[in-house]
Amino acid sequence: MVLRQGDDVLARLEALMLEKDIPSASIQGMGFAGLVRFGFFDFERSDFQPRDFADMEITGLVGTLAWKKGKPAIHAHATASGRDFQAFGGHLLALTVGRGSFEVTITVHDRRLQRQHDESIGANILLLPDMD
Amino acid sequence: MVLRQGDDVLARLEALMLEKDIPSASIQGMGFAGLVRFGFFDFERSDFQPRDFADMEITGLVGTLAWKKGKPAIHAHATASGRDFQAFGGHLLALTVGRGSFEVTITVHDRRLQRQHDESIGANILLLPDMD
Amino acid sequence: MVLRQGDDVLARLEALMLEKDIPSASIQGMGFAGLVRFGFFDFERSDFQPRDFADMEITGLVGTLAWKKGKPAIHAHATASGRDFQAFGGHLLALTVGRGSFEVTITVHDRRLQRQHDESIGANILLLPDMD
């Protein structure tokens, strides 16, 4: 999947999951971000503390595509660096492609995987068929 | 593979290699680390200089699973970032899952691959069938 | 693919693409870099601002292999960290393996993919068959 300037990476991945009915997948990607929003999970508040970075090279995006209550549920983390090459990273909350492009490789799996909210830890967990 | 709080990622991967008799594999992963220990190889001492980081998002883990003298031999590197999103990384010496979960995608290869200690460089090297 | 000290990673990948006639591929890698050159694209000058780093662990390399005018065209980004574990990253311009080794996993795709220079953004773009 090759995305262009202005594309919303997470929205485009969700649309692709719906269009192709992807049961689950692992993804990797890299490219230029006009805006990337990272979050660090705050378990006290049960929410992500966000921070935005503009005009960054995404040096590595890793994630999984699954479903939650019939809707696409993407979980991705990424590392990014700017003009001074210093790297930042975190849980990916938003990513808009910058000038240039963004390439994502999607490895589709056969089994439909679900995420479920786990009350004990206050986060969504990916469920695998052989998990206890 | 989805791991939960307190799981030792490398030990769980080794157990899986033994249980499923995985000939070799490439892995990628991401998730929340309660503790991650990175090492930087010191060729003078032929050992890793370690450093521990607590409560970090692993923004990308990349590695290979192979065998050495009949035992699982994992080689993985990772990048991680904390509450301030600043990224650190290195050779992965240890990784315990933190509150939340840790997802690893394992791409299994057909050929059984071995690592061998190379005296000339003082490090373990992955051997491929077509290497000279 | 396992590379050794002194190997030029991009040149070795290009040679492999020609030798095996790889239509296209996604790659991931990690290992020890004697020298890594990152670039940050400067759209004013339509060129990369380079910076060299010596003796770094590459904690994650992500890329795609495609063709441009009959020649191998590699696009890769990477994250790296040195002795103090601080991470840097960017578009990969050059990478020479350091003492130790460098492992690259190549996932070959069936379709021959091309890159094309896009005048509007001043950069090479990977073309997929179903792109509009």
Side-chain angles (χ1 to χ4, degrees), chain B residues 26 107 109 128, chain C residues 1-2 12-14 16-17 20 22 24-29 63 65 103-109:
Chain B
S26 297
T107 306
H109 307 307
L128 298 188
Chain C
M1 189 183 203
V2 178
R12 290 290 300 269
L13 283 168
E14 287 178 1
L16 189 78
M17 287 178 70
K20 307 272 188 192
I22 295 174
S24 63
S26 297
I27 61 172
Q28 68 171 42
L65 309 185
E103 302 176 15
V104 183
T105 299
I106 302 164
T107 305
V108 176
H109 306 307

Side-chain angles (χ1 to χ4, degrees), chain C residues 23-99:
Chain C
S24 63
S26 297
I27 61 172
Q28 68 171 42
M30 45 115 208
F32 194 68
L35 178 110
V36 56
R37 177 172 298 156
F38 290 130
F40 192 85
F41 203 74
D42 181 338
F43 284 99
E44 306 307 309
R45 296 171 54 245
S46 249
D47 202 1
F48 287 98
Q49 292 282 17
R51 183 164 156 199
D52 288 357
F53 296 85
D55 294 337
M56 303 285 275
E57 292 278 6
I58 299 295
T59 58
L61 179 157
V62 180
T64 53
L65 309 185
W67 298 83
K68 188 184 172 192
K69 296 180 181 169
K71 289 184 181 167
I74 299 171
H75 184 197
H77 287 192
T79 314
S81 63
R83 195 171 296 275
D84 62 357
F85 303 103
Q86 208 188 326
F88 295 88
H91 177 101
L92 191 66
L93 292 174
L95 173 55
T96 309
V97 181
R99 207 167 151 177

Side-chain angles (χ1 to χ4, degrees), chain B:
Chain B
M1 190 183 201
V2 178
L3 302 174
R4 301 293 196 104
Q5 186 167 6
D7 281 341
D8 175 329
V9 174
L10 297 179
R12 290 291 300 269
L13 283 169
E14 287 178 0
L16 190 78
M17 286 177 71
L18 288 166
E19 183 193 330
K20 306 274 188 192
D21 197 25
I22 295 174
S24 63
S26 297
I27 62 172
Q28 67 170 43
M30 46 115 207
F32 195 67
L35 178 110
V36 56
R37 177 173 299 155
F38 290 130
F40 191 84
F41 203 74
D42 181 338
F43 283 99
E44 307 305 310
R45 295 171 53 246
S46 251
D47 203 1
F48 287 98
Q49 291 283 18
R51 185 165 155 197
D52 289 356
F53 296 85
D55 294 337
M56 304 284 276
E57 293 278 7
I58 300 294
T59 58
L61 178 157
V62 180
T64 53
L65 309 185
W67 298 83
K68 188 184 172 193
K69 296 181 182 169
K71 290 183 181 168
I74 299 172
H75 185 196
H77 287 192
T79 314
S81 63
R83 194 171 297 275
D84 63 357
F85 303 102
Q86 208 188 327
F88 295 88
H91 178 101
L92 191 65
L93 292 174
L95 173 54
T96 308
V97 181
R99 208 167 151 176
S101 66
F102 197 88
E103 302 176 15
V104 183
T105 299
I106 301 165
T107 306
V108 176
H109 307 307
D110 293 334
R111 282 201 259 193
R112 193 171 178 92
L113 297 182
Q114 307 287 339
R115 290 190 209 283
Q116 198 171 63
H117 193 266
D118 184 321
E119 291 298 333
S120 69
I121 55 176
N124 288 322
I125 301 296
L126 182 64
L127 302 180
L128 298 188
D130 57 352
M131 281 182 70
D132 47 4

